[in-house]
PDB file of all heavy atoms in Angstrom:
ATOM      1  N   GLY I 184      12.492   6.227   2.007  1.00  0.00           N
ATOM      2  CA  GLY I 184      13.819   5.741   2.329  1.00  0.00           C
ATOM      3  C   GLY I 184      14.696   6.769   2.978  1.00  0.00           C
ATOM      4  O   GLY I 184      15.892   6.826   2.746  1.00  0.00           O
ATOM      5  N   MET I 185      14.107   7.584   3.833  1.00  0.00           N
ATOM      6  CA  MET I 185      14.885   8.601   4.556  1.00  0.00           C
ATOM      7  C   MET I 185      14.564   8.596   6.061  1.00  0.00           C
ATOM      8  O   MET I 185      13.540   8.008   6.465  1.00  0.00           O
ATOM      9  CB  MET I 185      14.630  10.021   3.982  1.00  0.00           C
ATOM     10  CG  MET I 185      13.214  10.566   4.130  1.00  0.00           C
ATOM     11  SD  MET I 185      13.040  12.238   3.501  1.00  0.00           S
ATOM     12  CE  MET I 185      13.009  11.942   1.758  1.00  0.00           C
ATOM     13  N   HIS I 186      15.403   9.236   6.883  1.00  0.00           N
ATOM     14  CA  HIS I 186      15.156   9.305   8.287  1.00  0.00           C
ATOM     15  C   HIS I 186      13.990  10.334   8.539  1.00  0.00           C
ATOM     16  O   HIS I 186      13.875  11.286   7.808  1.00  0.00           O
ATOM     17  CB  HIS I 186      16.404   9.742   9.027  1.00  0.00           C
ATOM     18  CG  HIS I 186      16.324   9.523  10.507  1.00  0.00           C
ATOM     19  ND1 HIS I 186      15.737  10.407  11.378  1.00  0.00           N
ATOM     20  CD2 HIS I 186      16.816   8.512  11.295  1.00  0.00           C
ATOM     21  CE1 HIS I 186      15.798   9.970  12.574  1.00  0.00           C
ATOM     22  NE2 HIS I 186      16.450   8.819  12.578  1.00  0.00           N
ATOM     23  N   ARG I 187      13.217  10.072   9.595  1.00  0.00           N
ATOM     24  CA  ARG I 187      12.105  11.020   9.904  1.00  0.00           C
ATOM     25  C   ARG I 187      12.630  12.407  10.105  1.00  0.00           C
ATOM     26  O   ARG I 187      12.010  13.406   9.745  1.00  0.00           O
ATOM     27  CB  ARG I 187      11.406  10.503  11.149  1.00  0.00           C
ATOM     28  CG  ARG I 187      10.222  11.375  11.539  1.00  0.00           C
ATOM     29  CD  ARG I 187       9.508  10.801  12.759  1.00  0.00           C
ATOM     30  NE  ARG I 187       8.378  11.614  13.170  1.00  0.00           N
ATOM     31  CZ  ARG I 187       7.585  11.400  14.187  1.00  0.00           C
ATOM     32  NH1 ARG I 187       7.847  10.306  14.916  1.00  0.00           N
ATOM     33  NH2 ARG I 187       6.603  12.212  14.479  1.00  0.00           N
ATOM     34  N   ALA I 188      13.798  12.532  10.826  1.00  0.00           N
ATOM     35  CA  ALA I 188      14.343  13.879  11.066  1.00  0.00           C
ATOM     36  C   ALA I 188      14.674  14.598   9.753  1.00  0.00           C
ATOM     37  O   ALA I 188      14.542  15.801   9.708  1.00  0.00           O
ATOM     38  CB  ALA I 188      15.532  13.756  11.973  1.00  0.00           C
ATOM     39  N   THR I 189      15.162  13.863   8.787  1.00  0.00           N
ATOM     40  CA  THR I 189      15.465  14.430   7.477  1.00  0.00           C
ATOM     41  C   THR I 189      14.236  14.993   6.826  1.00  0.00           C
ATOM     42  O   THR I 189      14.212  16.060   6.308  1.00  0.00           O
ATOM     43  CB  THR I 189      16.123  13.399   6.588  1.00  0.00           C
ATOM     44  OG1 THR I 189      17.310  12.901   7.190  1.00  0.00           O
ATOM     45  CG2 THR I 189      16.490  13.964   5.220  1.00  0.00           C
ATOM     46  N   LEU I 190      13.159  14.150   6.864  1.00  0.00           N
ATOM     47  CA  LEU I 190      11.887  14.621   6.343  1.00  0.00           C
ATOM     48  C   LEU I 190      11.392  15.831   7.043  1.00  0.00           C
ATOM     49  O   LEU I 190      10.887  16.815   6.410  1.00  0.00           O
ATOM     50  CB  LEU I 190      10.862  13.497   6.327  1.00  0.00           C
ATOM     51  CG  LEU I 190       9.496  13.865   5.761  1.00  0.00           C
ATOM     52  CD1 LEU I 190       9.616  14.194   4.267  1.00  0.00           C
ATOM     53  CD2 LEU I 190       8.520  12.722   5.936  1.00  0.00           C
ATOM     54  N   ALA I 191      11.472  15.875   8.353  1.00  0.00           N
ATOM     55  CA  ALA I 191      10.967  16.998   9.123  1.00  0.00           C
ATOM     56  C   ALA I 191      11.691  18.280   8.721  1.00  0.00           C
ATOM     57  O   ALA I 191      11.110  19.369   8.644  1.00  0.00           O
ATOM     58  CB  ALA I 191      11.123  16.693  10.647  1.00  0.00           C
ATOM     59  N   ALA I 192      12.992  18.137   8.456  1.00  0.00           N
ATOM     60  CA  ALA I 192      13.779  19.346   8.058  1.00  0.00           C
ATOM     61  C   ALA I 192      13.370  19.852   6.699  1.00  0.00           C
ATOM     62  O   ALA I 192      13.266  21.025   6.429  1.00  0.00           O
ATOM     63  CB  ALA I 192      15.305  18.999   8.063  1.00  0.00           C
ATOM     64  N   ILE I 193      13.055  18.903   5.759  1.00  0.00           N
ATOM     65  CA  ILE I 193      12.604  19.272   4.418  1.00  0.00           C
ATOM     66  C   ILE I 193      11.280  19.959   4.509  1.00  0.00           C
ATOM     67  O   ILE I 193      11.028  21.002   3.865  1.00  0.00           O
ATOM     68  CB  ILE I 193      12.573  18.009   3.523  1.00  0.00           C
ATOM     69  CG1 ILE I 193      13.968  17.494   3.268  1.00  0.00           C
ATOM     70  CG2 ILE I 193      11.923  18.370   2.182  1.00  0.00           C
ATOM     71  CD1 ILE I 193      13.987  16.143   2.517  1.00  0.00           C
ATOM     72  N   VAL I 194      10.375  19.382   5.275  1.00  0.00           N
ATOM     73  CA  VAL I 194       9.043  19.991   5.474  1.00  0.00           C
ATOM     74  C   VAL I 194       9.184  21.411   6.020  1.00  0.00           C
ATOM     75  O   VAL I 194       8.510  22.337   5.570  1.00  0.00           O
ATOM     76  CB  VAL I 194       8.166  19.114   6.369  1.00  0.00           C
ATOM     77  CG1 VAL I 194       6.889  19.855   6.775  1.00  0.00           C
ATOM     78  CG2 VAL I 194       7.819  17.794   5.737  1.00  0.00           C
ATOM     79  N   LYS I 195      10.052  21.613   7.034  1.00  0.00           N
ATOM     80  CA  LYS I 195      10.267  22.884   7.573  1.00  0.00           C
ATOM     81  C   LYS I 195      10.699  23.914   6.581  1.00  0.00           C
ATOM     82  O   LYS I 195      10.247  25.054   6.505  1.00  0.00           O
ATOM     83  CB  LYS I 195      11.232  22.840   8.774  1.00  0.00           C
ATOM     84  CG  LYS I 195      11.466  24.108   9.524  1.00  0.00           C
ATOM     85  CD  LYS I 195      12.411  23.926  10.670  1.00  0.00           C
ATOM     86  CE  LYS I 195      12.687  25.269  11.403  1.00  0.00           C
ATOM     87  NZ  LYS I 195      13.621  25.072  12.547  1.00  0.00           N
ATOM     88  N   ASP I 196      11.692  23.503   5.767  1.00  0.00           N
ATOM     89  CA  ASP I 196      12.208  24.401   4.725  1.00  0.00           C
ATOM     90  C   ASP I 196      11.141  24.802   3.668  1.00  0.00           C
ATOM     91  O   ASP I 196      11.055  25.964   3.283  1.00  0.00           O
ATOM     92  CB  ASP I 196      13.431  23.717   4.006  1.00  0.00           C
ATOM     93  CG  ASP I 196      14.668  23.650   4.824  1.00  0.00           C
ATOM     94  OD1 ASP I 196      14.713  24.400   5.789  1.00  0.00           O
ATOM     95  OD2 ASP I 196      15.536  22.844   4.474  1.00  0.00           O
ATOM     96  N   LEU I 197      10.324  23.836   3.291  1.00  0.00           N
ATOM     97  CA  LEU I 197       9.208  24.087   2.325  1.00  0.00           C
ATOM     98  C   LEU I 197       8.203  25.044   2.951  1.00  0.00           C
ATOM     99  O   LEU I 197       7.635  25.892   2.231  1.00  0.00           O
ATOM    100  CB  LEU I 197       8.572  22.820   1.897  1.00  0.00           C
ATOM    101  CG  LEU I 197       9.418  21.876   1.068  1.00  0.00           C
ATOM    102  CD1 LEU I 197       8.677  20.558   0.760  1.00  0.00           C
ATOM    103  CD2 LEU I 197       9.873  22.523  -0.255  1.00  0.00           C
ATOM    104  N   LYS I 198       7.954  24.896   4.280  1.00  0.00           N
ATOM    105  CA  LYS I 198       7.024  25.822   4.882  1.00  0.00           C
ATOM    106  C   LYS I 198       7.609  27.217   4.967  1.00  0.00           C
ATOM    107  O   LYS I 198       6.904  28.213   4.658  1.00  0.00           O
ATOM    108  CB  LYS I 198       6.676  25.294   6.323  1.00  0.00           C
ATOM    109  CG  LYS I 198       5.768  24.112   6.373  1.00  0.00           C
ATOM    110  CD  LYS I 198       5.513  23.688   7.853  1.00  0.00           C
ATOM    111  CE  LYS I 198       4.609  22.513   7.953  1.00  0.00           C
ATOM    112  NZ  LYS I 198       4.367  22.138   9.368  1.00  0.00           N
ATOM    113  N   ASN I 199       8.852  27.295   5.421  1.00  0.00           N
ATOM    114  CA  ASN I 199       9.523  28.586   5.484  1.00  0.00           C
ATOM    115  C   ASN I 199       9.619  29.296   4.137  1.00  0.00           C
ATOM    116  O   ASN I 199       9.665  30.524   4.060  1.00  0.00           O
ATOM    117  CB  ASN I 199      10.914  28.411   6.126  1.00  0.00           C
ATOM    118  CG  ASN I 199      10.847  28.042   7.567  1.00  0.00           C
ATOM    119  OD1 ASN I 199       9.834  28.195   8.236  1.00  0.00           O
ATOM    120  ND2 ASN I 199      11.943  27.447   8.062  1.00  0.00           N
ATOM    121  N   SER I 200       9.704  28.506   3.097  1.00  0.00           N
ATOM    122  CA  SER I 200       9.792  29.095   1.742  1.00  0.00           C
ATOM    123  C   SER I 200       8.401  29.432   1.148  1.00  0.00           C
ATOM    124  O   SER I 200       8.340  29.956   0.037  1.00  0.00           O
ATOM    125  CB  SER I 200      10.475  28.119   0.793  1.00  0.00           C
ATOM    126  OG  SER I 200      11.790  27.841   1.245  1.00  0.00           O
ATOM    127  N   GLY I 201       7.321  29.110   1.904  1.00  0.00           N
ATOM    128  CA  GLY I 201       6.003  29.456   1.427  1.00  0.00           C
ATOM    129  C   GLY I 201       5.528  28.516   0.337  1.00  0.00           C
ATOM    130  O   GLY I 201       4.579  28.857  -0.402  1.00  0.00           O
ATOM    131  N   ILE I 202       6.094  27.275   0.251  1.00  0.00           N
ATOM    132  CA  ILE I 202       5.690  26.374  -0.834  1.00  0.00           C
ATOM    133  C   ILE I 202       4.586  25.496  -0.335  1.00  0.00           C
ATOM    134  O   ILE I 202       3.660  25.144  -1.120  1.00  0.00           O
ATOM    135  CB  ILE I 202       6.916  25.552  -1.268  1.00  0.00           C
ATOM    136  CG1 ILE I 202       7.943  26.485  -1.910  1.00  0.00           C
ATOM    137  CG2 ILE I 202       6.471  24.473  -2.258  1.00  0.00           C
ATOM    138  CD1 ILE I 202       9.271  25.813  -2.257  1.00  0.00           C
ATOM    139  N   ILE I 203       4.632  25.059   0.922  1.00  0.00           N
ATOM    140  CA  ILE I 203       3.532  24.270   1.526  1.00  0.00           C
ATOM    141  C   ILE I 203       3.077  25.015   2.782  1.00  0.00           C
ATOM    142  O   ILE I 203       3.836  25.705   3.430  1.00  0.00           O
ATOM    143  CB  ILE I 203       3.897  22.825   1.820  1.00  0.00           C
ATOM    144  CG1 ILE I 203       4.992  22.735   2.874  1.00  0.00           C
ATOM    145  CG2 ILE I 203       4.318  22.115   0.530  1.00  0.00           C
ATOM    146  CD1 ILE I 203       5.263  21.319   3.312  1.00  0.00           C
ATOM    147  N   GLY I 204       1.792  24.767   3.129  1.00  0.00           N
ATOM    148  CA  GLY I 204       1.238  25.364   4.334  1.00  0.00           C
ATOM    149  C   GLY I 204       1.327  24.422   5.529  1.00  0.00           C
ATOM    150  O   GLY I 204       1.631  24.865   6.622  1.00  0.00           O
ATOM    151  N   CYS I 205       1.027  23.155   5.254  1.00  0.00           N
ATOM    152  CA  CYS I 205       1.122  22.187   6.360  1.00  0.00           C
ATOM    153  C   CYS I 205       1.324  20.852   5.795  1.00  0.00           C
ATOM    154  O   CYS I 205       1.071  20.573   4.563  1.00  0.00           O
ATOM    155  CB  CYS I 205      -0.142  22.212   7.243  1.00  0.00           C
ATOM    156  SG  CYS I 205      -1.649  21.666   6.371  1.00  0.00           S
ATOM    157  N   PHE I 206       1.771  19.895   6.579  1.00  0.00           N
ATOM    158  CA  PHE I 206       1.906  18.474   6.186  1.00  0.00           C
ATOM    159  C   PHE I 206       1.615  17.630   7.383  1.00  0.00           C
ATOM    160  O   PHE I 206       2.461  17.478   8.280  1.00  0.00           O
ATOM    161  CB  PHE I 206       3.323  18.231   5.616  1.00  0.00           C
ATOM    162  CG  PHE I 206       3.483  16.786   5.195  1.00  0.00           C
ATOM    163  CD1 PHE I 206       3.100  16.406   3.927  1.00  0.00           C
ATOM    164  CD2 PHE I 206       3.994  15.843   6.050  1.00  0.00           C
ATOM    165  CE1 PHE I 206       3.233  15.094   3.487  1.00  0.00           C
ATOM    166  CE2 PHE I 206       4.161  14.505   5.630  1.00  0.00           C
ATOM    167  CZ  PHE I 206       3.729  14.107   4.347  1.00  0.00           C
ATOM    168  N   THR I 207       0.407  17.066   7.461  1.00  0.00           N
ATOM    169  CA  THR I 207       0.074  16.123   8.503  1.00  0.00           C
ATOM    170  C   THR I 207      -0.568  14.887   7.808  1.00  0.00           C
ATOM    171  O   THR I 207      -0.820  14.905   6.620  1.00  0.00           O
ATOM    172  CB  THR I 207      -0.961  16.749   9.484  1.00  0.00           C
ATOM    173  OG1 THR I 207      -2.220  16.917   8.818  1.00  0.00           O
ATOM    174  CG2 THR I 207      -0.442  18.061  10.045  1.00  0.00           C
ATOM    175  N   SER I 208      -0.870  13.884   8.579  1.00  0.00           N
ATOM    176  CA  SER I 208      -1.514  12.671   8.006  1.00  0.00           C
ATOM    177  C   SER I 208      -2.886  12.975   7.488  1.00  0.00           C
ATOM    178  O   SER I 208      -3.402  12.225   6.679  1.00  0.00           O
ATOM    179  CB  SER I 208      -1.565  11.545   9.087  1.00  0.00           C
ATOM    180  OG  SER I 208      -2.363  11.968  10.154  1.00  0.00           O
ATOM    181  N   ARG I 209      -3.538  14.055   8.009  1.00  0.00           N
ATOM    182  CA  ARG I 209      -4.899  14.397   7.584  1.00  0.00           C
ATOM    183  C   ARG I 209      -4.973  15.477   6.513  1.00  0.00           C
ATOM    184  O   ARG I 209      -5.968  15.586   5.821  1.00  0.00           O
ATOM    185  CB  ARG I 209      -5.701  14.792   8.832  1.00  0.00           C
ATOM    186  CG  ARG I 209      -5.947  13.676   9.818  1.00  0.00           C
ATOM    187  CD  ARG I 209      -6.857  14.098  10.927  1.00  0.00           C
ATOM    188  NE  ARG I 209      -7.081  13.028  11.875  1.00  0.00           N
ATOM    189  CZ  ARG I 209      -7.890  13.112  12.955  1.00  0.00           C
ATOM    190  NH1 ARG I 209      -8.503  14.286  13.192  1.00  0.00           N
ATOM    191  NH2 ARG I 209      -8.075  12.072  13.724  1.00  0.00           N
ATOM    192  N   LYS I 210      -3.898  16.321   6.453  1.00  0.00           N
ATOM    193  CA  LYS I 210      -4.034  17.457   5.561  1.00  0.00           C
ATOM    194  C   LYS I 210      -2.637  17.898   5.041  1.00  0.00           C
ATOM    195  O   LYS I 210      -1.687  18.030   5.854  1.00  0.00           O
ATOM    196  CB  LYS I 210      -4.727  18.625   6.234  1.00  0.00           C
ATOM    197  CG  LYS I 210      -4.967  19.812   5.278  1.00  0.00           C
ATOM    198  CD  LYS I 210      -5.701  20.937   5.994  1.00  0.00           C
ATOM    199  CE  LYS I 210      -5.948  22.115   5.111  1.00  0.00           C
ATOM    200  NZ  LYS I 210      -6.658  23.186   5.791  1.00  0.00           N
ATOM    201  N   VAL I 211      -2.588  18.086   3.722  1.00  0.00           N
ATOM    202  CA  VAL I 211      -1.439  18.736   3.078  1.00  0.00           C
ATOM    203  C   VAL I 211      -1.971  19.879   2.229  1.00  0.00           C
ATOM    204  O   VAL I 211      -2.935  19.727   1.530  1.00  0.00           O
ATOM    205  CB  VAL I 211      -0.663  17.764   2.176  1.00  0.00           C
ATOM    206  CG1 VAL I 211       0.422  18.490   1.416  1.00  0.00           C
ATOM    207  CG2 VAL I 211      -0.034  16.631   3.054  1.00  0.00           C
ATOM    208  N   THR I 212      -1.318  21.034   2.372  1.00  0.00           N
ATOM    209  CA  THR I 212      -1.664  22.164   1.610  1.00  0.00           C
ATOM    210  C   THR I 212      -0.514  22.650   0.752  1.00  0.00           C
ATOM    211  O   THR I 212       0.561  22.977   1.296  1.00  0.00           O
ATOM    212  CB  THR I 212      -2.133  23.336   2.538  1.00  0.00           C
ATOM    213  OG1 THR I 212      -3.248  22.909   3.320  1.00  0.00           O
ATOM    214  CG2 THR I 212      -2.592  24.512   1.661  1.00  0.00           C
ATOM    215  N   ILE I 213      -0.667  22.699  -0.564  1.00  0.00           N
ATOM    216  CA  ILE I 213       0.317  23.181  -1.490  1.00  0.00           C
ATOM    217  C   ILE I 213       0.007  24.649  -1.815  1.00  0.00           C
ATOM    218  O   ILE I 213      -1.092  24.940  -2.358  1.00  0.00           O
ATOM    219  CB  ILE I 213       0.362  22.366  -2.785  1.00  0.00           C
ATOM    220  CG1 ILE I 213       0.443  20.846  -2.478  1.00  0.00           C
ATOM    221  CG2 ILE I 213       1.493  22.846  -3.686  1.00  0.00           C
ATOM    222  CD1 ILE I 213       1.715  20.467  -1.760  1.00  0.00           C
ATOM    223  N   LEU I 214       0.954  25.541  -1.445  1.00  0.00           N
ATOM    224  CA  LEU I 214       0.673  26.984  -1.681  1.00  0.00           C
ATOM    225  C   LEU I 214       1.272  27.487  -2.965  1.00  0.00           C
ATOM    226  O   LEU I 214       0.732  28.421  -3.602  1.00  0.00           O
ATOM    227  CB  LEU I 214       1.280  27.756  -0.501  1.00  0.00           C
ATOM    228  CG  LEU I 214       0.735  27.427   0.910  1.00  0.00           C
ATOM    229  CD1 LEU I 214       1.481  28.227   1.953  1.00  0.00           C
ATOM    230  CD2 LEU I 214      -0.772  27.692   0.973  1.00  0.00           C
ATOM    231  N   ASP I 215       2.427  26.907  -3.396  1.00  0.00           N
ATOM    232  CA  ASP I 215       3.113  27.374  -4.611  1.00  0.00           C
ATOM    233  C   ASP I 215       3.447  26.196  -5.467  1.00  0.00           C
ATOM    234  O   ASP I 215       4.550  25.581  -5.370  1.00  0.00           O
ATOM    235  CB  ASP I 215       4.340  28.169  -4.223  1.00  0.00           C
ATOM    236  CG  ASP I 215       4.888  28.978  -5.391  1.00  0.00           C
ATOM    237  OD1 ASP I 215       4.747  28.557  -6.532  1.00  0.00           O
ATOM    238  OD2 ASP I 215       5.498  30.056  -5.101  1.00  0.00           O
ATOM    239  N   GLU I 216       2.523  25.816  -6.371  1.00  0.00           N
ATOM    240  CA  GLU I 216       2.740  24.636  -7.207  1.00  0.00           C
ATOM    241  C   GLU I 216       3.873  24.780  -8.184  1.00  0.00           C
ATOM    242  O   GLU I 216       4.628  23.846  -8.400  1.00  0.00           O
ATOM    243  CB  GLU I 216       1.446  24.336  -7.928  1.00  0.00           C
ATOM    244  CG  GLU I 216       1.512  23.101  -8.822  1.00  0.00           C
ATOM    245  CD  GLU I 216       0.198  22.773  -9.505  1.00  0.00           C
ATOM    246  OE1 GLU I 216      -0.863  23.379  -9.135  1.00  0.00           O
ATOM    247  OE2 GLU I 216       0.206  21.993 -10.453  1.00  0.00           O
ATOM    248  N   ASP I 217       4.062  26.002  -8.708  1.00  0.00           N
ATOM    249  CA  ASP I 217       5.106  26.211  -9.715  1.00  0.00           C
ATOM    250  C   ASP I 217       6.464  25.985  -9.086  1.00  0.00           C
ATOM    251  O   ASP I 217       7.347  25.324  -9.732  1.00  0.00           O
ATOM    252  CB  ASP I 217       4.985  27.600 -10.286  1.00  0.00           C
ATOM    253  CG  ASP I 217       3.764  27.804 -11.175  1.00  0.00           C
ATOM    254  OD1 ASP I 217       3.261  26.770 -11.676  1.00  0.00           O
ATOM    255  OD2 ASP I 217       3.361  28.954 -11.363  1.00  0.00           O
ATOM    256  N   ARG I 218       6.680  26.496  -7.923  1.00  0.00           N
ATOM    257  CA  ARG I 218       8.029  26.337  -7.299  1.00  0.00           C
ATOM    258  C   ARG I 218       8.208  24.915  -6.860  1.00  0.00           C
ATOM    259  O   ARG I 218       9.344  24.398  -6.912  1.00  0.00           O
ATOM    260  CB  ARG I 218       8.123  27.297  -6.076  1.00  0.00           C
ATOM    261  CG  ARG I 218       8.199  28.780  -6.465  1.00  0.00           C
ATOM    262  CD  ARG I 218       8.159  29.667  -5.286  1.00  0.00           C
ATOM    263  NE  ARG I 218       9.384  29.498  -4.439  1.00  0.00           N
ATOM    264  CZ  ARG I 218       9.472  29.947  -3.180  1.00  0.00           C
ATOM    265  NH1 ARG I 218       8.417  30.633  -2.640  1.00  0.00           N
ATOM    266  NH2 ARG I 218      10.585  29.766  -2.453  1.00  0.00           N
TER     267      ARG I 218
END
Side-chain angles (χ1 to χ4, degrees):
M185 66 178 74
H186 195 278
R187 182 179 178 181
T189 302
L190 179 63
I193 294 172
V194 170
K195 183 178 179 180
D196 287 343
L197 292 176
K198 286 181 179 179
N199 291 340
S200 300
I202 296 173
I203 65 173
C205 67
F206 181 85
T207 69
S208 61
R209 294 185 177 182
K210 184 179 181 180
V211 172
T212 302
I213 307 298
L214 301 177
D215 194 330
E216 182 178 345
D217 290 338
R218 292 174 65 194

